[in-house]
Amino acid sequence: MPAANLTVTVPTVYLFGEADPAFARRSALATASFVSGPYRYVPLPGIGHWLTEQASDTVTAELLALLERRPWAHGSTPSFASMVTALSLPGLSSSDLR
């Protein structure tokens, strides 16, 4: 399936290390066009590719904030695949993880 046909419908937080040598800011910003659910882009100045090692407090705070908002509150309990999509793989749908 071409990437243009993928739409993430679950709440998504995109944490972007602004010093990431692997992903360009332009690509990170373009991710929003693949998300139809609630979306939050969080740039992390001076942080590279390994967010959990370089900004673990921020990553933890953002994930806890997402979970506290209970994105699944208006439906059934989320599947593992939908939570992975929501938390760490913007640009993919949960069906891509099956």
Side-chain angles (χ1 to χ4, degrees):
M1 177 181 290
N5 293 331
L6 297 177
T7 302
V8 175
T9 58
V10 296
T12 302
V13 176
Y14 192 126
L15 303 173
F16 177 68
E18 290 187 331
D20 190 331
F23 294 100
R25 175 178 157 83
R26 180 175 154 191
S27 297
L29 292 172
T31 298
S33 66
F34 294 96
V35 181
S36 63
Y39 179 79
R40 179 169 153 72
Y41 171 79
V42 181
L44 303 173
I47 303 299
H49 187 74
W50 307 107
L51 304 177
T52 56
E53 292 179 15
Q54 297 174 314
S56 59
D57 290 345
T58 301
V59 171
T60 300
E62 289 292 335
L63 293 176
L64 288 174
L66 175 65
L67 294 173
E68 286 174 5
R69 288 191 298 271
R70 295 180 27 198
W72 57 87
H74 301 291
S76 61
T77 303
S79 66
F80 173 74
S82 68
M83 289 303 292
V84 168
T85 302
L87 300 176
S88 63
L89 296 174
L92 295 176
S93 70
S94 59
S95 64
D96 295 316
L97 301 175
R98 292 186 188 123

